[in-house]
Amino acid sequence: MTAERCFHCNEPIPGGFNFTLSFDNQQRQFCCAGCQAIADTIISSGLSDYYRFRTEPASRYALPKELADTLAEYDAPDVLADVSVQQGDLTEISLSVTGISCAACAWLIEKQLRQLNTVHQVTVNSATQRCHLIWQADKTPLSVILSKLAAIGYQASPFVADNEEQAFKTELNRFLKRLAVSGIMTMQVMMLAVALYFGDYTGIEASHQGYLRWISLVLTLPVVLYAALPFVQSAWRSIKARQLNMDVPVSLAVYYTFFASAYATVFSTGEVYFESVCMFTFLLQLGKFFEYRARSRARDATSNLLKIMPVAATLLQDNQPQAVSARRLRAGDVILVKPGETIAADGIIISGNSSADESMLTGEYAAVAKQCGDKVLAGSTNHDGLLQVKVSQPLAASHLGQIIALQQRTLSQKPAVLQKTDQLARYFVERLLVIAVATFALWYFWLDADRAFWITLSVLVATCPCALSLAAPTAVTCALASLNRRGILIKHSTVLDVLPQLTHLVFDKTGTLTEGRFSVAEVKINGSEYSRSDVLNLIANIEQFSEHPIARAFKPYLTAPLPLTETEISVGAGIQTNYNNMLVKIGSSAFCKLSTSSDAMVFLTINEVCIAEIWLQDAVRPEVPSLIARLRTAGYKLVMLTGDNSAQAQQLQQQLQFDLMHKGCTPEQKVMEIEHLVRDGHKVLMLGDGINDNPAFHAAHVSVTLESGSDLSKNQADVLLLQPSIGLLEHLLAESSHAQNVIKQNLYWSAGYNLLIIPLAVAGFVSPYIAVLGMSFSSLLVVSNSLRLLKK
């Protein structure tokens, strides 16, 4: 029989729970009082359409008792000043909102906040899970805003974007404006050009021809004075640095053509090529925009790290708590960290015991026990106890701050294939300019002075390196966009060149080949009084009180609620409770006071008698067996290097049949094994997820990590898989090979075209009109060929 599911979050409803609410003339059931309260708030606020139009269930979010005190910290003047922007009487802020599952969630949040008279503007982006809000903070504190969101099931906190991200968005907007100007003007001028071309064959009157030319000149001015300006600035910088880049001939062709056409318009002689000027600029801006937009996707991945950056902290001054901005903490300050709060700075515990979730730094899901004298890290979450922490590093210099800074620097790197294109471009540009000057001199002094100007123009236009300048960037950025769309982020410059050359793929086990999450592997029952299902149900009931990762392994075994009282959690050790007047303990052998040689991870005792021993395991990812088989068929040599020395490593080897497997490896041993492969002339890729894999990352030619891995590994790796599936590795390898082939095709075509057209243009067989068509066709062919990558 299928269990009833919660109307709000779609989670199974535990047996014996009776939380109901009437909606659309039906009694709806809920899994807990929290979901019932949220649904009641949404319906009573007149926002019941949310439940009619949503496409995904809502997130389950219970309202903590300490919510009001926690949110009130954001009302402190210095905290609010650090996370918002003042605009006269209004305050502008970006909020990071968790729990958004579909567009209906965004609609619900906007409708809820617009009910406040002090809110002037609110927009929610469901893709980035951010809310942009402008309101009167002096009349409605930020804590009230956040409380209203919490009341309908969304946990929000200020999102603090760094200056670099803001500058990046500003520059992206400039690209869009230039692209819009050049695109719109290209369409207008092309229509006039068609009229002029047909007029040449049908005998257009001189007055009409002059009128169309002057209109084209006026429409082209915004392109040459605004849209094409970055090319001129780049060319001028390269000339001053005595390093010719692709923008030098681009600028010469654009402005040479424009001034030649303007001269022809003013003096009613020769031909005009204003449409060429606009088309040059539009196509080049399009390529630049593709490149910048791909880097923007990478920037968004980095920006999401900023979500875990602490915003507020509770500073102890004269033993009195005071809400302050986390950015203003200094070494030596003492802060108070409550259960469930994010630790605001790196420091040392001076009072209290607890456990902390440091998975965002270490990749380990198990909570880490903390006591006096232990070090804690900014961005980690305090689980159970009340801590006093002495700050050792300000937030900017913290471990988390350094990770974000390092990752941002990797985004500024240029792919290696583009560096090679730049070298080719410098060689081509130098010779192109020499050929253009020689052509002008040849025709002006020896052949036909009247044709020298226009033939030189044909040489510059026909051989304009537009196709060459677009050949690699468009292919690279289309490949990056295609990979990003699949959830693959390439960060390092050498990756596109090296990936097609790989011979060996090296895998870590825990968290990479396996899910990195605990599950029950074996249960040993001592005695016959309790069955296996009774034991697991009892443990599942007790573990509901814990947020420890091990507790999640027992969640699927909850079948019926049991009466438990006097439940106590011992941080990092176990849980004890009273069940039917019996003392029940779950935890380690030491916590349960057992003397045993068993290697079980969890023990259950009742009245000091060991009832059960439970072994946990880390399940193999479902996509791994088929992926390994396909990679082996593709000709790759497969290697597993794991620090796990248990029987599971050998079982996994028997199941997947790696070409080479070493278990019980230290980080140093992993490095040695990879270096041995490299010395033998092999190209090696390393796939891992933990901080212990970082040394091996540096030893391999290409390193890949998972989004669920540690932030340090995500920073160090060359490639980040943004979805929880290593099956993406196959797409990465295939797409990189395809991208390299497209780049080669583009370069061969653009180079071959120029080698063919240059002699014809110099000899005077290519008119400027034909040169424009040839250049445009060459550029469009290169761009179209690159766009095929987006269809993969």
Side-chain angles (χ1 to χ4, degrees):
M1 179 177 178
T2 304
E4 290 286 340
R5 292 190 172 271
C6 176
F7 176 66
H8 179 72
C9 69
N10 205 40
E11 291 285 333
I13 300 176
F17 280 39
N18 186 28
F19 299 101
T20 61
L21 193 66
S22 177
F23 175 69
D24 280 353
N25 298 321
Q26 294 184 34
Q27 286 296 114
R28 310 290 184 171
Q29 295 189 346
F30 300 88
C31 65
C32 63
C35 286
Q36 182 192 44
I38 292 170
D40 186 44
T41 301
I42 292 173
I43 295 171
S44 62
S45 299
L47 303 174
S48 53
D49 279 347
Y50 163 72
Y51 289 114
R52 300 187 179 99
F53 301 126
R54 65 178 179 172
T55 57
E56 297 289 341
S59 297
R60 183 177 182 178
Y61 174 55
L63 301 178
K65 298 178 181 178
E66 303 84 0
L67 179 65
D69 293 336
T70 302
L71 297 184
E73 295 177 353
Y74 296 124
D75 297 334
D78 63 332
V79 175
L80 187 61
D82 277 353
V83 299
S84 64
V85 177
Q86 198 67 28
Q87 298 181 349
D89 295 335
L90 300 177
T91 303
E92 181 178 2
I93 194 172
S94 290
L95 301 175
S96 175
V97 186
T98 59
I100 295 179
S101 57
C102 63
C105 294
W107 174 87
L108 176 62
I109 293 171
E110 291 178 357
K111 288 289 186 181
Q112 178 76 347
L113 294 185
R114 283 172 183 162
Q115 292 179 355
L116 295 172
N117 295 330
T118 54
V119 172
H120 285 240
Q121 181 181 337
V122 56
T123 54
V124 179
N125 188 323
S126 58
T128 60
Q129 295 192 339
R130 293 185 198 162
C131 171
H132 181 259
L133 177 67
I134 300 177
W135 89 110
Q136 294 174 281
D138 57 336
K139 296 182 179 179
T140 303
L142 180 59
S143 59
V144 174
I145 302 283
L146 302 182
S147 296
K148 286 189 72 68
L149 293 181
I152 57 173
Y154 301 96
Q155 188 173 10
S157 60
F159 175 81
V160 184
D162 63 345
N163 294 333
E164 187 177 351
E165 185 196 16
Q166 294 290 357
F168 198 87
K169 289 183 177 179
T170 301
E171 185 62 25
L172 188 62
N173 289 333
R174 292 196 187 109
F175 266 100
L176 287 171
K177 291 176 183 177
R178 294 189 186 105
L179 190 62
V181 169
S182 58
I184 292 171
M185 294 307 170
T186 296
M187 290 187 290
Q188 302 303 317
V189 176
M190 283 294 292
M191 289 190 294
L192 296 175
V194 170
L196 285 171
Y197 290 150
F198 279 106
D200 287 340
Y201 291 100
T202 58
I204 188 173
E205 294 183 10
S207 60
H208 292 168
Q209 186 184 53
Y211 175 75
L212 292 177
R213 286 185 173 189
W214 277 103
I215 294 297
S216 299
L217 172 61
V218 172
L219 292 175
T220 307
L221 283 175
V223 176
V224 296
L225 297 179
Y226 174 68
L229 201 58
F231 301 119
V232 181
Q233 294 169 339
S234 174
W236 178 242
R237 286 193 298 267
S238 73
I239 291 172
K240 288 196 299 182
R242 299 184 180 181
Q243 292 286 335
L244 296 178
N245 63 11
M246 298 295 289
D247 291 327
V248 173
V250 165
S251 301
L252 283 175
V254 168
Y255 287 90
Y256 186 101
T257 308
F258 172 76
F259 286 118
S261 301
Y263 176 88
T265 300
V266 172
F267 294 100
S268 301
T269 182
E271 301 293 335
V272 295
Y273 302 97
F274 293 117
E275 77 285 356
S276 303
V277 173
C278 295
M279 184 179 291
F280 291 165
T281 307
F282 174 70
L283 289 174
L284 289 168
Q285 285 286 2
L286 190 62
K288 294 286 186 182
F289 175 75
F290 281 155
E291 180 182 357
Y292 209 79
R293 190 68 184 90
R295 294 212 311 271
S296 177
R297 287 291 303 274
R299 185 76 53 176
D300 288 342
T302 302
S303 299
N304 289 334
L305 271 181
L306 296 172
K307 290 183 179 181
I308 64 175
M309 284 288 279
V311 174
T314 303
L315 178 65
L316 289 178
Q317 290 185 332
D318 300 327
N319 289 325
Q320 294 299 316
Q322 177 183 353
V324 298
S325 168
R327 291 173 176 262
R328 302 190 182 187
L329 293 174
R330 295 294 178 263
D333 289 344
V334 177
I335 59 175
L336 186 69
V337 186
K338 302 173 185 176
E341 284 188 341
T342 299
I343 298 173
D346 289 358
I348 304 297
I349 297 176
I350 60 175
S351 175
N353 297 297
S354 185
S355 62
D357 177 8
E358 297 180 346
S359 59
M360 56 86 185
L361 292 171
T362 64
E364 294 295 333
Y365 293 93
V368 181
K370 298 291 182 180
Q371 58 186 357
C372 280
D374 287 347
K375 182 179 180 180
V376 291
L377 300 175
S380 58
T381 303
N382 177 29
H383 275 178
D384 313 296
L386 186 67
L387 300 177
Q388 290 186 18
V389 176
K390 186 175 182 180
V391 177
S392 59
Q393 295 281 358
L395 187 58
S398 67
H399 192 57
L400 176 61
Q402 292 174 1
I403 288 173
I404 293 176
L406 286 171
Q407 188 163 5
Q408 287 174 339
R409 282 202 293 271
T410 63
L411 297 176
S412 63
Q413 296 179 344
K414 178 180 287 190
V417 67
L418 298 188
Q419 296 175 7
K420 293 182 178 180
T421 305
D422 286 345
Q423 295 173 357
L424 176 62
R426 283 196 294 270
Y427 177 87
F428 179 81
V429 167
E430 293 169 358
R431 282 146 184 81
L432 172 61
L433 295 178
V434 171
I435 291 172
V437 172
T439 300
F440 182 83
L442 175 66
W443 282 89
Y444 188 83
F445 293 107
W446 286 286
L447 298 178
D448 187 347
D450 292 336
R451 297 183 62 192
F453 180 86
W454 298 106
I455 289 178
T456 304
L457 176 62
S458 296
V459 172
L460 274 175
V461 171
T463 60
C464 174
C466 185
L468 185 60
S469 64
L470 292 172
T474 53
V476 168
T477 52
C478 287
L480 292 176
S482 177
L483 290 170
N484 285 343
R485 191 167 55 192
R486 291 182 180 272
I488 303 170
L489 173 63
I490 292 181
K491 301 177 353 183
H492 201 274
S493 59
T494 62
V495 170
L496 287 177
D497 282 342
V498 178
L499 280 172
Q501 306 171 17
L502 293 175
T503 59
H504 286 63
L505 307 181
V506 178
F507 297 85
D508 174 46
K509 183 182 78 70
T510 305
T512 304
L513 295 172
T514 62
E515 294 180 342
R517 299 182 184 275
F518 294 109
S519 61
V520 176
E522 181 182 349
V523 180
K524 178 183 178 182
I525 307 296
N526 299 321
S528 58
E529 186 177 354
Y530 296 93
S531 66
R532 184 179 188 274
S533 59
D534 290 338
V535 165
L536 290 176
N537 181 58
L538 174 59
I539 296 175
N541 271 270
I542 299 173
E543 293 287 10
Q544 285 188 105
F545 294 93
S546 174
E547 292 297 325
H548 197 283
I550 287 181
R552 299 170 193 156
F554 297 97
K555 185 177 180 181
Y557 300 98
L558 180 63
T559 56
L562 299 176
L564 305 175
T565 59
E566 301 176 8
T567 302
E568 297 180 5
I569 299 176
S570 296
V571 177
I575 306 176
Q576 69 178 38
T577 189
N578 186 293
Y579 169 58
N580 290 341
N581 295 321
M582 297 183 293
L583 178 62
V584 181
K585 289 185 177 182
I586 302 172
S588 64
S589 57
F591 175 75
C592 295
K593 298 180 180 179
L594 298 174
S595 297
T596 177
S597 59
S598 172
D599 59 352
M601 292 184 65
V602 178
F603 295 86
L604 169 67
T605 64
I606 298 180
N607 289 335
E608 308 297 337
V609 176
C610 183
I611 302 298
E613 303 169 28
I614 299 97
W615 284 262
L616 303 178
Q617 71 175 2
D618 196 3
V620 177
R621 292 179 182 272
E623 72 273 14
V624 165
S626 59
L627 171 66
I628 295 299
R630 291 193 299 271
L631 291 176
R632 183 181 295 108
T633 302
Y636 294 105
K637 295 295 183 181
L638 306 178
V639 181
M640 180 172 69
L641 302 178
T642 176
D644 185 4
N645 201 28
S646 68
Q648 188 183 12
Q650 191 61 44
Q651 293 170 0
L652 195 60
Q653 166 64 7
Q654 293 174 356
Q655 177 186 356
L656 302 178
Q657 295 296 311
F658 286 93
D659 297 291
L660 181 66
M661 189 276 286
H662 291 288
K663 64 179 184 177
C665 292
T666 64
E668 292 77 12
Q669 290 172 328
K670 289 185 178 182
V671 171
M672 290 174 59
E673 292 295 333
I674 292 176
E675 287 179 341
H676 178 71
L677 292 174
V678 173
R679 282 195 301 270
D680 289 343
H682 303 300
K683 295 290 185 179
V684 181
L685 176 145
M686 171 68 189
L687 177 62
D689 75 321
I691 195 170
N692 62 327
D693 295 318
N694 289 334
F697 282 174
H698 292 290
H701 292 94
V702 178
S703 54
V704 182
T705 192
L706 301 169
E707 190 274 337
S708 58
S710 70
D711 277 350
L712 189 56
S713 65
K714 286 190 284 188
N715 173 68
Q716 297 293 331
D718 302 318
V719 181
L720 174 61
L721 306 183
L722 300 174
Q723 296 177 5
S725 171
I726 67 169
L728 295 175
L729 180 63
E730 186 178 16
H731 297 298
L732 170 66
L733 298 172
E735 190 74 13
S736 63
S737 297
H738 189 205
Q740 189 178 69
N741 291 334
V742 169
I743 291 171
K744 289 179 179 178
Q745 293 167 6
N746 288 348
L747 291 175
Y748 289 152
W749 163 254
S750 57
Y753 164 78
N754 280 284
L755 290 175
L756 175 65
I757 202 71
I758 285 176
L760 296 175
V762 171
F765 295 120
V766 179
S767 67
Y769 169 70
I770 298 299
V772 168
L773 292 180
M775 187 285 305
S776 301
F777 175 75
S778 178
S779 300
L780 290 173
L781 182 63
V782 166
V783 172
S784 300
N785 191 41
S786 299
L787 290 175
R788 292 191 302 119
L789 292 168
L790 295 176
K791 299 178 181 179
K792 295 295 290 182

